[in-house]
Every structure is written in structure tokens, then in C-alpha cells.
Amino acid sequence: MKRAGLSTDKVLRAALDLVDREGVAALSMRRLGRELGVEAMTLYYYVPNKDAVLDGLIERTLTDVDLRPEGPWRAWAQRFATSFRSALLAHPGLLPLVATRPVVTSRGLDTAEHAAQALVEEGFSASEALHVITTLATFVIGQVLAEAGRTPGHDEPEPEPDLDPTRHPVLTQALTAGLGTPEDHQDRFTFALDALLVGLQPRGSATAKAGPGKQT
């Protein structure tokens, strides 16, 4: 019999809270049941197995990601990357899961298909279209891994490099200018994303490269 007050959404929210605090490695059906005050078997009324929980967490995280292929493709690709970064920064404990687990839910596959179709209409082959999407996703995941720093459950501060200004003048100047600060991470992300989007185009295309927000 189903437990009053529980739902699939509540189970996933509890799983996300647990992962936010302690990371994906801490997630098990037994532990999730304890978080909700029920036996693990009760959870199977709401989610068929742990894989469904993991897939649900990915889909839940991607809910706020803007992947609407509307307008010039570089403009919406930029919005996708920017919103994906924000979603991952909000839940850095999910990074190992998002980085290694493919999107397999119907909703996720439909979203990817819609974006890939838009890229094909811009002259990319089917394979190239998926290359664009996965390249952007991989770039964002790597950026957030560096940006998030510590993993959930490990609060030790990151050590500062011991720089000798005479031996490492450029590194010292960059550190003094704010290297590693949130503002630096934002600037680095924007700088790299702009360069990446300029370079992405169909193989063999003779069209002049355009910056983000400009159509090829």
C-alpha cells in the first residue's frame, strides 16, 4: 500500500537533497528510505529501481536548462551552455552522474532530437549535430568541475599556490587579478564559450565564422 504523503516527485526531491549534501556515492534505496522515514521497499511504489532515481535526477536537473533551438543556432547554443552551467552549479554533487550517465528518458531524448534537427537544418550532418551538443555539454561539465572545486562532504579549503613573483610573474599577476574567484570563473567561461562557438561549424563549410548570436 502506498504511503500517504509520498510521491515520485517527493522521492526525487529527497534524493537530490541527499546528493547535494553527500554526493551520488551516498545514494542508495535503503538510505533514501531512511531520509523519507519509510522502508526501502516502500519506494518501489514510486520509482521502479535505483536506475530510475538516477535518470530522474538527471531529468530534474535538466528541467531548467534552456535548449530551445529558436533563432540563430549559435545564440541558442550559447543559452544552452549558460543555463546548463547554472543548473550544475546549483547541484554540483550530481556532476559525476551527469558526466557519465547518458540521457535515456523519453523527455531528454526528445529534447536532444529537437536540437539536433535544428543543427541539421543549419548544414550539420546528423553526427556533427550530436558532436556540437555533446561538445558543449562536455565543456560545461569540465568548467563546472573546476569551478565547483570541492565535492559534497569534503569542506577542506583549496590550498593557495606558493608563487615566487620573480619566477612566476605571469601567474602571480593573474592570481593578484583574481584568478579562481567567481568573477574569474565567469570570465573564463564566457571567453572559452565564445571561442568554442566560433570554431563549431559543419565540416568543409566555406562560410565565414560568426560570433555567438550571429548566424553562419
Side-chain angles (χ1 to χ4, degrees):
M1 184 175 183
K2 292 188 177 183
R3 177 89 173 207
L6 277 187
S7 64
T8 300
D9 181 68
K10 188 171 182 178
V11 170
L12 291 177
R13 279 192 283 114
L16 186 57
D17 288 343
L18 175 59
V19 170
D20 281 343
R21 294 196 316 269
E22 301 181 35
V24 174
L27 180 62
S28 68
M29 298 302 280
R30 181 174 296 180
R31 177 66 189 279
L32 186 54
R34 289 204 303 271
E35 292 285 315
L36 290 163
V38 300
E39 295 293 329
M41 290 301 296
T42 303
L43 300 178
Y44 294 108
Y45 286 109
Y46 306 94
V47 287
N49 47 48
K50 183 180 175 180
D51 282 341
V53 175
L54 298 177
D55 291 337
L57 288 179
I58 291 177
E59 186 164 276
R60 190 180 185 88
T61 303
L62 297 180
T63 298
D64 295 328
V65 175
D66 187 351
L67 188 51
R68 295 169 297 158
E70 301 170 356
W73 77 265
R74 283 190 173 92
W76 62 255
Q78 186 179 57
R79 292 195 301 271
F80 159 64
T82 301
S83 61
F84 189 29
R85 171 176 173 260
S86 296
L88 293 181
L89 283 173
H91 303 287
L94 284 175
L95 279 167
L97 182 63
V98 175
T100 58
R101 193 173 183 86
V103 175
V104 296
T105 63
S106 295
R107 181 177 177 181
L109 292 174
D110 287 347
T111 301
E113 174 68 22
H114 195 33
Q117 285 180 354
L119 289 168
V120 168
E121 291 173 3
E122 293 285 348
F124 291 91
S125 69
S127 294
E128 289 171 347
L130 271 296
H131 291 340
V132 171
I133 295 169
T134 55
T135 294
L136 288 171
T138 301
F139 159 70
V140 173
I141 290 168
Q143 169 74 18
V144 176
L145 277 170
E147 202 168 343
R150 298 183 301 275
T151 57
H154 296 80
D155 297 324
E156 298 84 358
E158 293 295 318
E160 290 287 342
D162 185 14
L163 297 177
D164 179 350
T166 60
R167 184 175 180 179
H168 311 111
V170 174
L171 297 181
T172 300
Q173 184 178 355
L175 190 63
T176 302
L179 183 69
T181 62
E183 294 78 13
D184 175 61
H185 284 301
Q186 175 64 59
D187 186 57
R188 184 193 312 171
F189 174 79
T190 302
F191 177 84
L193 178 59
D194 286 349
L196 185 60
L197 288 172
V198 166
L200 288 171
Q201 59 179 327
R203 286 192 179 107
S205 173
T207 305
K209 296 179 182 178
K214 297 178 183 179
Q215 196 166 14
T216 56

